[in-house]
Amino acid sequence: MRIVIALGGNALLSRGEPMTAAAQRENIRIAAEAIAPVTRDHEVILSHGNGPQVGLLALQAAAAENEGNGENGVFPLDVLGAETEGMIGYLIEQEMGNLLPEGQPLATLLTMVEVDPDDPAFTHPTKFVGPLYTRREADRLTAAHGWSFRQDGEPWRRVVPSPEPQRIFEIRPIRWLLEHGTVVICTGGGGIPTMFAPDGRRILTGVEAVIDKDRASALLAQETEADLLIMATDVDGVYEKWGTPDARRIVSTSPDALNSGDFPDGSMGPKVEAACRFANIPGKRAVIGALADIPTMVARTSGTQVFLGAQFQTTSNS
């Protein structure tokens, strides 16, 4: 079975943790321990979030600019996204390599993803990136850099445009690597957002945006003809009435039934949307659940399982 596993940014760096190399490596080690057993019996493609990491790099670039060490626009989000693909991919490769049999090939691909210059997302930024701030800190950064902020729970975080992924440019080398038994790490952070010049010329350029990792992972799963799409996050599934005493995890559901729910755009919404898109293909299955539960999500015994014809089932709230 061919499986795309999308590691959420919060799965790689828990909320409130310091964004240090040591903290990220430890979380990636935990992820590798959950993924390694799956690679023994299945073809695995890994994608990952990068919101906290790309936001931190943007902040560092802004600090360098303020100190006279750079110019405005030297470090746009597409370049920072490429940096995080290399950084996170390196850590995943190393930690996975420490667990897999010697000789198992792994490869990280910088992955460009095409977006539409007319996508309405460019006028409505929604994608969270970077660390958490107080309202006063957010106001100061808005005044200094023109950034947009929204509340993420109690604190505030920067938000940027999140256009729809249209095409993965490196899909052919991804397929070639899979055909040769490689565990492929690609489409990190939703891929590097790129577009052709709007004047009709075939000139490719980067875009100041962050593509949603789950939507890009669903596209990746479709274009690689995967059988299963897993979205690993920091909760054990999708919940009805989340945040209330009546909250219940959805155990199994059809895409149509799950799509009818109301899930926040900034958190579970894109995962639900991506799961429904992929699971609407006959014979395909999507699962949303906790990072540590990846092997049991494959075995259909944990997470929220989404597939055509599934009976809607929830956990007991007793």
Side-chain angles (χ1 to χ4, degrees), residues 117-273:
D118 296 323
D119 193 304
F122 288 111
T123 60
H124 183 57
T126 59
K127 182 67 175 175
F128 287 116
V129 297
L132 305 175
Y133 298 99
T134 65
R135 176 62 185 270
R136 179 176 294 181
E137 290 170 332
D139 288 344
R140 176 178 59 80
L141 290 167
T142 297
H145 306 294
W147 292 352
S148 298
F149 284 85
R150 283 176 50 191
Q151 279 189 283
D152 184 9
E154 184 68 22
W156 292 73
R157 288 181 75 190
R158 185 185 176 192
V159 288
V160 299
S162 183
E164 186 76 19
Q166 303 290 319
R167 173 167 56 141
I168 298 171
F169 284 103
E170 287 78 12
I171 198 66
R172 286 187 299 167
I174 291 170
R175 290 172 180 157
W176 294 338
L177 288 166
L178 290 170
E179 289 167 4
H180 289 83
T182 305
V183 175
V184 182
I185 304 154
C186 60
T187 326
I192 305 164
T194 51
M195 65 173 63
F196 287 106
D199 59 7
R201 295 177 297 163
R202 300 294 287 178
I203 297 176
L204 200 61
T205 184
V207 183
E208 188 74 354
V210 172
I211 299 169
D212 181 80
K213 172 263 308 171
D214 296 309
R215 290 172 181 149
S217 297
L219 179 62
L220 174 66
Q222 292 175 37
E223 294 199 349
T224 57
E225 299 181 338
D227 303 288
L228 173 62
L229 169 62
I230 293 176
M231 283 167 282
T233 184
D234 55 355
V235 294
D236 63 351
V238 182
Y239 277 74
E240 283 190 316
K241 301 179 182 178
W242 174 257
T244 74
D246 297 324
R248 294 182 295 174
R249 177 172 60 87
I250 300 171
V251 174
S252 64
T253 180
S254 68
D256 285 346
L258 189 60
N259 243 340
S260 65
D262 183 19
F263 304 100
D265 288 340
S267 56
M268 193 57 75
K271 291 177 175 56
V272 165
E273 178 189 328

Side-chain angles (χ1 to χ4, degrees), residues 39 42-46 92-94 96-97 100-109 176-185:
T39 66
H42 305 286
E43 292 182 341
V44 172
I45 313 162
L46 297 175
I92 293 174
E93 277 196 45
Q94 197 168 77
M96 289 287 293
L100 295 179
E102 186 175 353
Q104 167 64 54
L106 298 102
T108 298
L109 264 66
W176 294 338
L177 288 166
L178 290 170
E179 289 167 4
H180 289 83
T182 305
V183 175
V184 182
I185 304 154

Side-chain angles (χ1 to χ4, degrees), residues 57-72 74-75 145:
L57 289 176
L59 192 62
Q60 292 172 342
E65 177 188 332
N66 289 340
E67 294 170 2
N69 297 325
E71 297 178 1
N72 187 35
V74 170
F75 299 104
H145 306 294

